């Protein structure tokens, strides 16, 4: 959170990156959402402006933010700078963790307004006082201070969740859940030790406090870990297991959230397993299809064709394996040709690299697309993949899909677990393809016709555009007019004229 150094009316802003502007910075916060949530509360409590200076300097009356009670309206030029400065000071105190002093200041202002018979103003201070008390309750502030990271571990069935709670200046700024696979069957203390090593040492530097509270007592053999963290972050560090008062409440909250997240994760995993078993029975497979790949084609009347490949492992999206294929060399609008090219590129690379093939290949389309997929895999000599097609059906509504295997339509009950999984795969492939298509189409439409002309670099393009005002102006120019632009020879003028016309 950044408060600028504007002489009269500083602004309150979200900031990411280097602290290269003069002003006051607060944080870092554990996530962007926690920053936005804090700024949302600050706007209600202190009503500092968040508009850009260029916008602020060109206004003569307050904007909508003032009308809804989230800005004091300094752009009206009628506001007392001293009143705004007081609001900035209170916001700074709040961000520094001195919320009790801010509470007293709100009470004092409310009583002063009431004594002066300014009852509407007193009511405003009363509402802001109530809002501040709610914020304090939500952030578990009870006359505490300091920076602490709290980590709680919950483990069951080889799965573990570590819940992180991040406290700065006595306020809980946010929390984050980390899912772990305990494949080495480590005990809880060792698992927590490994997590802390990964979190503080094996990734980019994070905001490391001086105290870390953990849920499984004093971890054994923490000396080397503490030394390594202290050396990396150049600060003293202590890891605590037994805590009291506010820290005990934070730890209890982290433990409860870890257990809830673990239960939710295990329930979701069981649900995904049930979907795979239902799909196995429906397709009469020897084993559940643990890896499924789905392809879809997206274009706008043949423009900027993109094929997508999404991958699900154990019934869940494996985003790191997603792939897009920019299709070229095919006739515009030829979905069969685009699908053939994408499948050939995908499975030829897998065959050459020796990677594992998917258990099930799902194609968004009917019998025609399914025939293309069979043809490609037959040409590549791949016969271990089960292939299936899914189309929207006549009504094009969810639950009315048509399914094809080996060129024949099969029946899958709408609303079954298997149909839900297949629809989820198809929808994800469709989303991924459309996103890629729109990006490619946007890049193509934003590209200037001049960029493909040999001999016309960025400097000459700039001179042409400055001289004629736009690409349209260049298209309307004759070769003689093009010659008047500095640096444009007869040969270039003829080339430009022929290309743009």
């Amino acid at each position: 959170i950044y408060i600028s150094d504007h002489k009269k009316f500083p602004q309150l802003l979200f900031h990411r990156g280097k602290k290269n502007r003069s002003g006051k910075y607060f944080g870092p916060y554990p996530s962007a959402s926690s920053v936005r949530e804090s700024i949302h509360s600050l706007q209600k409590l202190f009503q500092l402006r968040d508009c850009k200076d260029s916008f602020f300097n060109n206004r003569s009356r307050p904007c909508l933010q003032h009308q809804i009670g989230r800005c004091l309206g300094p752009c009206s030029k009628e506001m007392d700078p001293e009143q705004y400065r007081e609001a900035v000071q209170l916001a700074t105190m709040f961000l520094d963790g001195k919320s009790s002093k801010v509470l007293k200041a709100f009470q004092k202002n409310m009583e002063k307004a009431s004594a002066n018979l300014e009852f509407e103003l007193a009511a405003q201070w009363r509402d802001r006082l109530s809002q501040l008390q709610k914020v304090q309750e939500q952030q578990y502030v009870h006359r505490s201070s300091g920076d602490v990271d709290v980590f709680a571990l919950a483990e069951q069935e080889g799965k573990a969740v570590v819940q992180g709670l991040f406290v700065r200046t006595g306020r809980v700024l946010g929390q984050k859940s980390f899912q772990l696979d305990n494949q080495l069957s480590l005990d809880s203390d060792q698992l927590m030790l490994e997590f802390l090593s990964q979190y503080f040492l094996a990734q980019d530097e994070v905001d490391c406090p001086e105290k870390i509270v953990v849920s499984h007592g004093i971890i054994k053999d923490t000396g080397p870990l503490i030394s390594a963290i202290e050396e990396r972050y150049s600060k003293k560090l202590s890891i605590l297991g037994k805590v009291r008062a506010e820290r005990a409440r934070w730890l209890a909250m982290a433990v409860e959230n870890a257990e809830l997240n673990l239960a939710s994760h295990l329930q979701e995993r069981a649900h995904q397993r049930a979907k795979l078993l239902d799909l196995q029975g429906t397709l009469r497979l020897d084993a559940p299809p643990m890896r499924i790949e789905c392809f879809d084609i997206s274009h706008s009347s043949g423009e900027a064709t993109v094929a997508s490949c999404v991958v699900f492992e154990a019934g869940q999206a494996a985003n790191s394996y997603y792939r897009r294929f920019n299709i070229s060399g095919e006739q515009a609008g030829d979905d069969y040709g685009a699908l053939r090219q994408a499948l050939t590129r995908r499975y030829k690379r897998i065959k050459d690299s020796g990677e594992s093939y998917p258990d099930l290949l799902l194609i968004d389309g009917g019998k025609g697309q399914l025939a293309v997929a069979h043809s490609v895999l037959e040409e590549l000599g791949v016969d271990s993949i089960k292939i299936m097609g899914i189309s929207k059906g006549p009504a094009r509504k969810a639950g009315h899909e048509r399914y094809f295997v080996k060129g024949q339509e099969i029946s899958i009950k709408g609303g079954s677990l298997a149909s839900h999984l297949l629809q989820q795969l198809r929808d994800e492939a469709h989303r991924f393809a459309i996103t890629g298509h729109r990006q490619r189409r946007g890049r193509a439409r934003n590209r200037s016709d001049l960029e493909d002309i040999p001999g016309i670099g960025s400097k000459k393009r700039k001179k042409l555009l400055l001289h004629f005002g736009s690409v349209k102006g260049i298209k309307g120019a004759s070769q003689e007019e093009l010659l008047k632009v500095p640096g444009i020879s007869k040969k270039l003028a003829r080339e430009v004229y022929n290309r743009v016309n």
Side-chain angles (χ1 to χ4, degrees), residues 434-491:
I434 282 183
T435 303
H437 159 66
R438 287 174 177 167
Q439 291 173 350
R440 187 183 182 191
R441 184 183 62 189
R443 287 193 297 268
R445 290 181 178 180
N446 289 331
R447 184 177 177 85
S448 170
D449 293 338
L450 302 175
E451 292 184 34
D452 297 323
I453 302 177
I456 301 295
S458 59
K459 291 183 179 179
K460 289 180 180 175
R461 281 202 306 271
K462 186 176 180 180
K463 289 179 180 179
L464 284 165
L465 290 169
L466 285 173
H467 186 87
F468 292 103
S470 64
V471 174
K472 186 177 180 180
I474 298 172
K475 289 182 177 180
S478 64
Q479 293 188 42
E480 290 74 15
E481 291 173 322
L482 291 168
L483 280 171
K484 296 178 182 178
V485 179
I488 300 298
S489 63
K490 287 185 177 180
K491 182 180 178 181

Side-chain angles (χ1 to χ4, degrees), residues 149 151 166 178 195-203 206 233:
D149 277 359
F151 295 103
F166 307 100
F178 305 88
F195 167 77
L196 294 176
S197 301
Q198 291 287 324
Y199 183 77
F200 287 104
L201 300 176
Q203 60 176 348
V206 296
Y233 293 93

Side-chain angles (χ1 to χ4, degrees), residues 84 167 172 175 211 229 322 324 348 409 435 450 475:
Y84 193 88
V167 183
V172 177
Q175 54 184 320
K211 289 182 172 58
I229 296 176
Y322 283 20
R324 287 196 186 104
K348 186 176 186 304
E409 185 171 354
T435 303
L450 302 175
K475 289 182 177 180

Side-chain angles (χ1 to χ4, degrees), residues 329-366:
E330 304 292 340
Q331 185 177 351
D334 183 5
D335 286 0
Y336 293 159
L339 180 62
R340 174 177 291 277
Q341 184 179 138
L343 290 172
T344 302
R345 288 163 60 181
R346 172 68 170 173
Y347 293 110
K348 186 176 186 304
R349 188 190 64 78
I350 290 181
K351 183 179 180 180
D352 294 341
S353 64
E355 297 177 25
S356 299
Y357 292 109
D359 301 312
L360 176 64
L361 170 59
L362 182 64
I363 304 296
D364 184 7

Side-chain angles (χ1 to χ4, degrees), residues 158-317:
K159 292 288 183 180
V161 168
V162 173
Q163 188 74 20
L165 202 69
F166 307 100
V167 183
R168 297 296 179 267
T169 61
R171 294 181 295 119
V172 177
L173 297 185
Q175 54 184 320
K176 188 175 182 180
S177 179
F178 305 88
Q179 294 182 4
L180 312 176
D181 282 322
N182 190 7
Q183 297 177 349
L184 300 179
S185 301
L186 301 175
D187 61 38
S188 298
D189 284 2
Q190 189 64 31
L191 191 60
M192 178 65 83
L193 182 64
E194 291 295 332
F195 167 77
L196 294 176
S197 301
Q198 291 287 324
Y199 183 77
F200 287 104
L201 300 176
Q203 60 176 348
D204 294 337
E205 287 193 11
V206 296
D207 182 30
C208 179
E210 294 183 350
K211 289 182 172 58
I212 298 173
V213 176
V214 296
S215 61
H216 282 75
I218 301 296
I219 303 177
K220 301 174 183 177
D221 305 322
T222 56
L225 174 63
I226 292 175
S227 299
I229 296 176
E230 288 179 338
E231 181 178 352
R232 185 180 191 192
Y233 293 93
S234 302
K235 60 171 64 176
K236 285 288 183 181
L237 175 71
S238 58
I239 298 179
L240 310 174
K242 295 181 179 180
V243 289
R244 296 179 296 177
E246 286 76 28
R247 291 176 184 171
R249 281 192 283 271
W250 292 330
L251 182 56
M253 183 168 65
V255 169
E256 182 181 0
N257 288 345
E259 291 173 349
L260 288 172
N261 284 329
L262 178 60
S264 175
H265 175 65
L266 292 175
Q267 185 178 10
E268 176 64 21
R269 189 174 68 162
H271 187 57
Q272 297 295 349
R273 177 72 178 175
K275 287 182 180 180
L276 291 173
L277 290 173
D278 189 25
L279 184 59
Q280 176 192 358
T282 300
L283 300 181
R284 299 178 182 178
L285 302 176
D286 296 333
M290 300 307 292
R291 184 183 176 98
I292 307 174
E293 296 188 356
C294 182
F295 280 77
D296 188 25
I297 307 295
S298 180
H299 59 80
S300 296
S301 301
E303 178 189 5
T305 304
V306 170
S308 70
C309 170
V310 301
V311 181
F312 273 37
E313 289 192 332
Q316 293 186 321

Side-chain angles (χ1 to χ4, degrees), residues 4 6 30 41 60 65 118 128 132 143 198 248 250 326 331 352-353 378-379 381 431 436 449 479:
S4 70
H6 192 278
S41 298
S60 58
Q65 287 289 87
E118 297 174 331
R128 291 164 71 180
L132 177 58
R143 301 179 301 280
Q198 291 287 324
W250 292 330
N326 289 332
Q331 185 177 351
D352 294 341
S353 64
E378 187 177 345
E379 291 172 4
R431 179 201 65 80
D449 293 338
Q479 293 188 42

Side-chain angles (χ1 to χ4, degrees), residues 14 95 161-162 169 183 221 244 321 323 346 372 387 410 416-417 425 428 450 462 491 495:
F14 176 100
L95 288 168
V161 168
V162 173
T169 61
Q183 297 177 349
D221 305 322
R244 296 179 296 177
Y321 295 110
R323 295 292 182 269
R346 172 68 170 173
V372 170
I387 308 175
I410 64 171
S416 67
L417 293 176
L425 270 155
E428 178 67 357
L450 302 175
K462 186 176 180 180
K491 182 180 178 181
E495 186 69 25

Side-chain angles (χ1 to χ4, degrees), residues 373-440:
H374 279 290
S375 172
V376 169
L377 295 187
E378 187 177 345
E379 291 172 4
L380 293 174
V382 178
D383 57 4
S384 60
I385 304 176
K386 182 79 172 181
I387 308 175
M388 182 178 185
I390 175 174
S391 66
K392 292 186 174 66
R396 301 184 69 82
K397 293 181 180 180
H400 296 271
E401 286 80 6
R402 299 174 65 189
Y403 302 94
F404 302 91
V405 175
K406 294 182 179 179
Q408 301 296 320
E409 185 171 354
I410 64 171
S411 176
I412 298 181
K413 186 178 179 181
S416 67
L417 293 176
S419 68
H420 284 167
L421 178 58
L422 294 172
Q423 290 166 24
Q424 184 183 1
L425 270 155
R426 188 271 317 278
D427 292 343
E428 178 67 357
H430 188 57
R431 179 201 65 80
F432 195 56
I434 282 183
T435 303
H437 159 66
R438 287 174 177 167
Q439 291 173 350
R440 187 183 182 191

